Amino acid sequence: MENRITPDFIKSLEENEIFVFGCCRFGRHWEGAAAFALENFGAVFGQGEGPQGRSYAIATAGVGLTDVKAAVDRFAKYAMGHPEQHFLVTLIGCGLGGWRVPQIAPMFRDVSSLNNVCLPKEFWDELNYCRP
């Protein structure tokens, strides 16, 4: 799984890479990874979910866990439909979103089988794919 671990800090993207970040449901990309996506990867202010520029937003703030899960499922369908793109999922929801890794990582279990999706090491650990 090492080649499918999202780097801790992403400064730039390769041609086919997409930055996947968590944001507030209203798409106010003022802080954290959302602000970084807005400044660097074409995120659209006011758009709280979906593809935008070289990024993909998943609302994790101002929503419940059921909403996050539904958004992750929509992301999974999008990623399956775009095998030519390589998605770098950040620790969505686990910073300013206020959720914990054990709450968010299991939502990515189905996504973990997609070869074009990288997950943070913390998610892989929670999913029991990486063991020391």
Side-chain angles (χ1 to χ4, degrees):
M1 293 298 153
E2 261 189 55
N3 63 339
R4 299 210 19 242
I5 295 174
T6 303
D8 288 334
F9 186 72
I10 300 165
K11 295 188 285 188
S12 62
L13 296 172
E14 298 294 323
E15 185 177 326
N16 65 336
E17 290 181 328
I18 304 296
F19 183 81
V20 182
F21 66 98
C23 67
C24 80
R25 68 180 170 154
F26 299 114
R28 295 185 188 120
H29 306 320
W30 288 328
E31 299 178 292
F36 193 77
L38 180 67
E39 294 170 15
N40 296 283
F41 303 132
V44 177
F45 194 84
Q47 185 177 336
E49 185 178 331
Q52 36 196 289
R54 305 273 317 279
S55 62
Y56 188 102
I58 297 176
T60 58
V63 298
L65 285 174
T66 302
D67 299 314
V68 176
K69 175 64 171 129
V72 170
D73 290 346
R74 288 188 292 274
F75 164 70
K77 288 180 184 174
Y78 184 84
M80 279 188 275
H82 293 84
E84 74 286 357
Q85 295 179 327
H86 189 79
F87 298 90
L88 303 175
V89 177
T90 62
L91 272 168
I92 70 155
C94 298
L96 297 171
W99 304 109
R100 296 182 327 273
V101 169
Q103 294 172 296
I104 299 294
M107 297 179 188
F108 285 88
R109 187 166 303 283
D110 292 341
V111 175
S112 70
S113 66
L114 301 177
N115 289 327
N116 64 331
V117 177
C118 288
L119 298 176
K121 183 179 184 315
E122 294 87 342
F123 284 11
W124 288 117
D125 288 346
E126 184 65 28
L127 295 170
N128 295 315
Y129 284 103
C130 294
R131 295 191 184 267

